């Protein structure tokens, strides 16, 4: 397991993550990319606890996702299964478990203030925190054909990963109104959604 984790985690995070995995008795599966999630936790019918994390994540997002999912197991164990999956009990658990990792030996210095701000009130997904999401994506292999919704000019047409075409509209408080061209329906897009500009 140690050798496997070295491929996916920052070097200084390998030992503490391995200790967390052993301590909680969780079964970690590294899986192919899923567009809708970075990872998940579930209790299996046989009582075993399983966490899956996408193999394509950069090492910093992989670490955050792994601890995020282990925090579900720990929070359910401590507070019971009646708690909300991303409620206050999970947030406190996640904050506590991430604290030893938010150090310059593990994360690049440009990420530390963004992480510190995020973990004041962690979200259900790091993607819903646009600043953190864009900062983490800067460590991904970048596809030059992709743009973020916030970078596109008003009125431009873009394609999603599923092939659907949208036209960018005005910004609400945080998200952008975009019209699906085929149906005329309006959808709200996070500013950090990655899309392909068509015009």
């Amino acid at each position: 397991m140690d050798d496997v984790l070295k491929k996916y985690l920052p070097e200084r995070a390998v030992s503490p993550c391995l200790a967390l995995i052993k301590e909680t008795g969780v079964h970690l599966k590294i899986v192919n990319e899923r567009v809708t999630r970075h990872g998940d936790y579930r209790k299996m019918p046989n009582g075993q606890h399983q966490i899956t994390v996408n193999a394509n994540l950069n090492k910093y997002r992989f670490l955050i996702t792994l601890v995020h999912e282990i925090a579900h197991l720990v929070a359910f164990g401590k507070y019971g299964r009646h708690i909300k999956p991303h409620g206050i009990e999970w947030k406190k658990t996640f904050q506590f478990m991430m604290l030893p990792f938010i150090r310059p030996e593990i994360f690049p210095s440009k990420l530390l203030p963004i992480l510190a701000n995020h973990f004041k009130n962690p979200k259900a997904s790091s993607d819903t925190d646009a600043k953190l999401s864009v900062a983490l994506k800067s460590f991904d292999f970048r596809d030059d054909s992709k743009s973020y919704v916030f970078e596109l000019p008003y009125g431009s047409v873009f394609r999603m990963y599923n092939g659907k075409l949208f036209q960018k509209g005005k910004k609400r408080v945080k998200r952008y109104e975009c019209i699906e061209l085929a149906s005329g329906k309006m959808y709200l897009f996070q500013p950090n959604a990655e899309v392909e500009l068509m015009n």
Side-chain angles (χ1 to χ4, degrees), residues 57-92:
L57 303 180
N58 71 53
K59 58 189 173 180
Y60 307 114
R61 192 184 292 278
F62 191 99
L63 171 57
I64 293 167
T65 303
L66 177 62
V67 177
H68 171 127
E69 300 306 339
I70 293 174
H72 283 300
L73 167 58
V74 173
F76 284 136
K78 185 173 181 180
Y79 299 103
R81 285 216 159 278
H82 62 281
I83 63 169
K84 291 181 181 176
H86 296 105
I88 190 71
E89 298 88 354
W90 170 80
K91 288 182 185 218
K92 285 181 179 178

Side-chain angles (χ1 to χ4, degrees), residues 138-170:
S138 72
F139 295 94
D140 289 346
F141 168 75
R142 182 86 162 126
D143 181 350
D144 289 336
S145 69
K146 301 282 185 188
S147 302
Y148 296 120
V149 168
F150 76 84
E151 297 173 323
L152 303 179
Y154 178 86
S156 58
V157 174
F158 62 88
R159 182 183 3 235
M160 286 292 296
Y161 66 88
N162 59 10
K164 292 184 179 180
L165 296 175
F166 294 84
Q167 184 170 32
K168 181 180 174 181
K170 65 181 182 182

Side-chain angles (χ1 to χ4, degrees), residues 23-81:
E23 182 184 317
T24 56
V26 73
H27 175 68
L28 172 63
K29 278 179 71 174
I30 299 168
V31 299
N32 292 332
E33 178 183 8
R34 296 162 295 181
V35 176
T36 57
R37 65 184 64 179
H38 299 304
D40 66 11
Y41 157 75
R42 68 177 59 142
K43 186 173 182 179
M44 306 303 281
N46 64 3
Q48 186 181 32
H49 300 280
Q50 178 181 282
I51 285 173
T52 62
V53 181
N54 291 2
N56 68 318
L57 303 180
N58 71 53
K59 58 189 173 180
Y60 307 114
R61 192 184 292 278
F62 191 99
L63 171 57
I64 293 167
T65 303
L66 177 62
V67 177
H68 171 127
E69 300 306 339
I70 293 174
H72 283 300
L73 167 58
V74 173
F76 284 136
K78 185 173 181 180
Y79 299 103
R81 285 216 159 278

